[in-house]
Amino acid sequence: MPLLVMKFGGTSVADLERIRNAADKVRREVERGYDVIVIVSAMSGKTNELVGWVEETSPMFDAREYDAVVSSGENITAGLMSLTLQEMDIPARSWQGWQVPLKTTSVHSAARIEEIPRDNIDAKFAEGMRVAVVAGFQGISPEGRITTLGRGGSDTTAVAFAAAFDAERCDIYTDVDGVYTTDPRISAKARKLDKIALEEMLELASLGAKVLQTRSVELAMRYNVRLRVLSSFEENNENSGTLVCAEEEIMEQNIVSGVAHSRDEAKMTLTSVADRPGIAAAIFGPLAEAGVNVDMIIQNISEDGRTDMTFSCPTNQVERAKAAMQKVKDDGVINYAGLVADTDVAKVSVVGIGMRSHTGVASQMFQALSAEGINIKVISTSEIKISVLVDRKYMELAVQALHDEFGLEKAG
Amino acid sequence: MPLLVMKFGGTSVADLERIRNAADKVRREVERGYDVIVIVSAMSGKTNELVGWVEETSPMFDAREYDAVVSSGENITAGLMSLTLQEMDIPARSWQGWQVPLKTTSVHSAARIEEIPRDNIDAKFAEGMRVAVVAGFQGISPEGRITTLGRGGSDTTAVAFAAAFDAERCDIYTDVDGVYTTDPRISAKARKLDKIALEEMLELASLGAKVLQTRSVELAMRYNVRLRVLSSFEENNENSGTLVCAEEEIMEQNIVSGVAHSRDEAKMTLTSVADRPGIAAAIFGPLAEAGVNVDMIIQNISEDGRTDMTFSCPTNQVERAKAAMQKVKDDGVINYAGLVADTDVAKVSVVGIGMRSHTGVASQMFQALSAEGINIKVISTSEIKISVLVDRKYMELAVQALHDEFGLEKAG
């Protein structure tokens, strides 16, 4: 039988009525002839309650115990969802991570999936089970202890199951009805995309579009899983939501697919650094070791053998970056005059696989921003993305201007 | 190292502060040199919340899913208790039932413990762990699914661990400070017992003294586990609480140790039954098959070949008993004029291992009740117990009169 994976997030299973509503969507797929693997999150609020208890008990908690406590939220939902489906006369049963077993690394609270053996669940499908309800976000370590996958863990669980079971599609039910050309709260002209390429979704996810977690999109790319993002709170049909798929499936394509933004970037400038070979490694090596995720880098023109080095990183890593730089300075590895942190900036990005075959997107972007009087502070590019740092007060204006410039309110 | 089992019920771990208080008691035993296995219940209220969700979702629920959901309460407490101990610098870790693994039968929601292999936990003690915190009430079936042990499951878990690990003692921490000669709410003269024999505790537990569950006392008797019942909410020393132990350990002993009572008994009378050989089997066989727990039985004097047959059973089994009797009547197996249920009765019992070697306890009991004008409706006896049914309105008076009669306010 063809198989679907359906994932329901915390708001979609927040109470018994919503669980019934979600189960209704599962029932419809079963009636269409699918076997279904359902991945559930904890009822919204539950995980926060459990995390709160752990942190109050032990601020520097043992992550193994954290995982044992926090994973119970998903177990509860899995059992309740299975019971709800059984009440609809659908043969269903729940699976906790260790029962599958979903095997992970031992990195507690941020474990990576290593293997999902199909035998146990396949045996039950062969016996007539139509729905396997799996507790998301969790697995079992080689030592036999419960692990959790960290942020976005349930999305990742869903994609991993879709890959392991050769699912026709992995449907991610959430509280929005799809992926938009930009944040509808910023531009009223934002348009829901029917399709988007996995590569584009990956850039958008990592740029702060919160619909899907980066990790799950990476996994979908690696295993070529077709993802669909759609709303738990609407009636859906086969064309609802946004299909996140291989680029070959997308016939008509705008050059730019979306405009993303992020408020959580800081611009850091090391002033008057000696401009010598190896200086970049001397700076960014220690930053990487300190766990600072450096995104953009620019180096100013050198004057008298000294230069300014600018980079961006998430706002909450500024202190860590400062400490790391102070240390290399104290150790005499590098010398610099000062380290200036500007947290009053935002990142705005345009993303589109069409950029691969179309030149001139960057200059069109810079001109559009310039026409609005917006100064660009740092630039970075990838094959299908151009990002700029601008003053935070211009963020909304920049998004709107770029959305207009690339005609995103109309389908390609 | 010597080993203790310590069990904390729901009210003893109701919130983080109480968990800390319980952990303090564990710490003291560790400091005395014990390795400890701690058995925890769910935070009070948690299990009821989970049961409520299951029953609302599916009134005729799949017990396997019920167990999967309901067991998560204990898992949360186990993790939090382990973290609390770690904060006190005590090497501790949590164990869920399947991790031990605590192997049970497949009778979900009422599973029986089959085996507790020591290897996993012993290996951790050998590595320096001082406290294993085990989620009570749960285990794993031969099919690899989570089971729960039913009512009193955490007490039973504790005793089973004490037996499997040859514990020096199994301490049951609860919201009372021990076992009393009778219910202190009924008699102000009730006295806490320092020691009580396991056989006596078994009778008291099954007679409605709610301190320990019958199942756990049965298990303690079978494996000769020394139990101690004591309060979570008081400072304790080595002589606190009540020690439930082999009768050889008790030097001085009243003939009667306690007076128990139960409001949940009904008196059933089948009138005008043909008095023929095999009639008792024809009545009580079908009742047993219908799951009616018949306690006392009396048969009146026969007149004209017919007799009245009276028995007692728990109040909530009256309808079941009536249905079973109606069926054997309809099937023509027995004939009777009517079935009268009197639910306005109570059972009062005196218990004591001294009764084995002292005659005359029964007549002393009947005279004491008679002196108060209390009519005895049914009598049953065992080697160390005498129970009577009386009108419910006389229950308190009967308890007080017997407590006085056998001098229970004074130690033996």
Side-chain angles (χ1 to χ4, degrees), chain A residues 51-90:
Chain A
V51 169
W53 285 341
V54 168
E55 289 179 343
E56 190 182 332
T57 300
S58 180
M60 303 286 285
F61 51 77
D62 177 347
R64 295 167 297 190
E65 300 296 351
Y66 172 97
D67 285 356
V69 171
V70 169
S71 58
S72 51
E74 281 74 14
N75 292 343
I76 294 168
T77 320
L80 294 175
M81 173 64 85
S82 173
L83 288 164
T84 307
L85 290 164
Q86 289 177 1
E87 279 292 303
M88 298 174 172
D89 287 328
I90 298 168

Side-chain angles (χ1 to χ4, degrees), chain B residues 219-249:
Chain B
L219 202 62
M221 263 184 74
R222 191 166 338 136
Y223 293 100
N224 213 10
V225 171
R226 296 171 83 225
L227 282 171
R228 193 167 61 147
V229 176
L230 67 179
S231 169
S232 291
F233 305 109
E234 290 178 15
E235 291 300 313
N236 297 300
N237 60 40
E238 279 107 72
N239 301 315
S240 297
T242 299
L243 185 69
V244 188
C245 58
E247 91 189 66
E248 298 77 48
E249 279 199 60

Side-chain angles (χ1 to χ4, degrees), chain A residues 11 13 85 118:
Chain A
T11 54
V13 292
L85 290 164
R118 293 175 52 148

Side-chain angles (χ1 to χ4, degrees), chain A residues 16 43 46 49-50 53-54 56-62 65-66 68-69 72 75-76 79-80 82-84 86-87 92-94 96 98-99 140 144-146, chain B residues 16 43 46 49-50 53-54 56-62 65-66 68-69 72 75-76 79-80 82-84 86-87 92-94 96 98-99 140 144-146:
Chain A
L16 300 186
M43 296 156 94
K46 272 286 145 199
E49 180 185 53
L50 295 170
W53 285 341
V54 168
E56 190 182 332
T57 300
S58 180
M60 303 286 285
F61 51 77
D62 177 347
E65 300 296 351
Y66 172 97
V69 171
S72 51
N75 292 343
I76 294 168
L80 294 175
S82 173
L83 288 164
T84 307
Q86 289 177 1
E87 279 292 303
R93 76 157 268 195
S94 69
Q96 300 186 2
W98 61 271
Q99 290 177 314
I140 181 169
R145 300 204 63 174
I146 294 167
Chain B
L16 300 186
M43 296 156 93
K46 273 286 146 195
E49 181 185 52
L50 295 170
W53 285 342
V54 168
E56 190 182 333
T57 299
S58 180
M60 303 286 287
F61 52 77
D62 176 346
E65 300 296 350
Y66 172 97
V69 171
S72 51
N75 292 343
I76 293 168
L80 294 174
S82 174
L83 288 165
T84 306
Q86 289 178 2
E87 278 294 301
R93 75 157 271 195
S94 70
Q96 300 185 2
W98 60 272
Q99 289 176 315
I140 181 169
R145 302 204 63 174
I146 294 167

Side-chain angles (χ1 to χ4, degrees), chain B residues 78-320:
Chain B
L80 294 174
M81 173 64 84
S82 174
L83 288 165
T84 306
L85 290 163
Q86 289 178 2
E87 278 294 301
M88 297 173 173
D89 288 326
I90 298 169
R93 75 157 271 195
S94 70
W95 303 81
Q96 300 185 2
W98 60 272
Q99 289 176 315
V100 174
L102 188 152
K103 298 181 185 175
T104 73
T105 60
S106 302
V107 184
H108 283 273
S109 302
R112 299 195 76 83
I113 298 173
E114 302 244 286
E115 194 194 350
I116 304 181
R118 293 176 54 149
D119 323 23
N120 288 339
I121 288 179
D122 273 345
K124 292 291 166 189
F125 276 131
E127 287 175 18
M129 174 184 74
R130 297 298 306 280
V131 183
V133 184
V134 178
F137 179 62
Q138 58 179 257
I140 181 169
S141 74
E143 296 78 28
R145 302 204 63 174
I146 294 167
T147 52
T148 65
L149 307 180
R151 272 193 67 161
S154 289
D155 284 354
T156 307
T157 305
V159 174
F161 269 88
F165 285 80
D166 298 317
E168 190 172 304
R169 206 173 59 240
C170 179
D171 285 348
I172 307 284
Y173 285 84
T174 178
D175 48 8
V176 298
D177 66 347
V179 180
Y180 279 72
T181 50
T182 196
D183 187 338
R185 287 166 299 186
I186 290 185
S187 170
K189 296 180 186 165
R191 174 176 57 86
K192 183 174 79 65
L193 292 160
D194 293 330
K195 292 184 178 181
I196 186 169
L198 278 159
E199 292 85 344
E200 292 171 321
M201 191 66 230
L202 186 60
E203 290 287 0
L204 288 174
S206 65
L207 292 172
K210 300 208 166 59
V211 184
L212 282 173
Q213 283 289 330
T214 310
R215 255 174 97 184
S216 63
V217 184
E218 279 172 6
L219 202 62
M221 263 184 74
R222 191 166 338 136
Y223 293 100
N224 213 10
V225 171
R226 296 171 83 225
L227 282 171
R228 193 167 61 147
V229 176
L230 67 179
S231 169
S232 291
F233 305 109
E234 290 178 15
E235 291 300 313
N236 297 300
N237 60 40
E238 279 107 72
N239 301 315
S240 297
T242 299
L243 185 69
V244 188
C245 58
E247 91 189 66
E248 298 77 48
E249 279 199 60
I250 304 175
M251 298 298 288
E252 303 209 59
Q253 176 71 43
N254 283 332
I255 297 166
V256 169
S257 294
V259 181
H261 63 87
S262 166
R263 285 181 181 82
D264 303 326
E265 297 286 320
K267 170 173 165 262
M268 311 282 288
T269 304
L270 280 170
T271 56
S272 196
V273 188
D275 190 7
R276 56 169 171 81
I279 186 68
I283 293 170
F284 296 107
L287 285 172
E289 275 164 37
V292 177
N293 297 311
V294 171
D295 178 24
M296 307 158 145
I297 300 171
I298 52 169
Q299 186 174 347
N300 281 13
I301 293 159
S302 184
E303 265 178 50
D304 303 330
R306 301 195 82 81
T307 184
D308 291 348
M309 189 76 87
T310 297
F311 60 93
S312 73
C313 71
T315 312
N316 62 8
Q317 296 177 358
V318 165
E319 292 310 313
R320 205 183 293 173

Side-chain angles (χ1 to χ4, degrees), chain A residues 138-172:
Chain A
Q138 60 178 254
I140 181 169
S141 75
E143 295 78 27
R145 300 204 63 174
I146 294 167
T147 53
T148 65
L149 307 180
R151 272 194 66 161
S154 290
D155 283 355
T156 307
T157 306
V159 174
F161 269 90
F165 284 82
D166 298 317
E168 191 172 304
R169 206 174 57 241
C170 178
D171 286 349
I172 307 284

